[in-house]
Amino acid sequence: MKRHAWLIGFMTLLAPSVHAAQADHIKANHAWIRLLPTNLPAGAYVTLDNQGSSAATLVSAHSAAYGSVMLHQSTTDPAGNSDMHMLDRLVVPAHGQVSLAPASYHLMLQQAARPLKPGDTVEITLSFADGSQLAVPFLVRPANTAD
Ligand SMILES: [Cu+2]
C-alpha cells in the first residue's frame, strides 16, 4: 500500500516532462545576433515556429558566450521614442509563430565571454515553462545587417 502510493507520486512527478515537452514542438528559424562593439549589449533574433497542438511559453534563455541573456520587447511611443522593457514570458501559440526581430521582441545579450566576429556561431539555450529546453545556434552578423 505504502509502496503503491509512492509509485503514483513518482509517476505524477514525471508526467509533465513526458507529456508536455514544449521545446520538442518548436522549430527555430533565422536565428542571428547583431554584433555590436563588445561593451554594448547585442540583440539576438529568431523565429519560433510551434508545430505542437498546445502553446509553448518561453520563460528564459542562457548562453555560455554571454554573462546575461534577457528577454526584451522594444516599443515606440507616439512621439517616436523607442524604449525596451523586460518580459518574463513569451507565448508561442499552438500551430503558430512568434518572431523575435529588430524593433520588437529580442534577446538582449550582455557581458560577452570573449570577442565575437561576423560568421561565428553562438549557441543560446531557450527554456520553456515546463522546464524543457532547446539549444539554438545563432549566426553572428555585422551591426549593419538589415534583417
Ligand atoms: Cu533589449
Side-chain angles (χ1 to χ4, degrees), residues 51-104:
Q51 302 177 333
S53 53
S54 53
T57 304
L58 178 64
V59 293
S60 66
H62 68 270
S63 173
Y66 289 92
S68 164
V69 182
M70 288 182 294
L71 182 57
H72 275 183
Q73 181 177 22
S74 292
T75 53
T76 305
D77 71 17
N81 304 305
S82 59
D83 197 4
M84 57 188 178
H85 58 273
M86 272 179 72
L87 297 178
D88 57 2
R89 52 187 50 233
L90 180 59
V91 176
V92 188
H95 303 295
Q97 270 193 357
V98 168
S99 287
L100 284 73
S104 177

Side-chain angles (χ1 to χ4, degrees), residues 95-121:
H95 303 295
Q97 270 193 357
V98 168
S99 287
L100 284 73
S104 177
Y105 303 118
H106 57 277
L107 298 173
M108 191 100 277
L109 311 172
Q110 290 177 277
Q111 301 156 29
R114 60 181 171 85
L116 297 166
K117 59 183 190 309
D120 286 351
T121 298

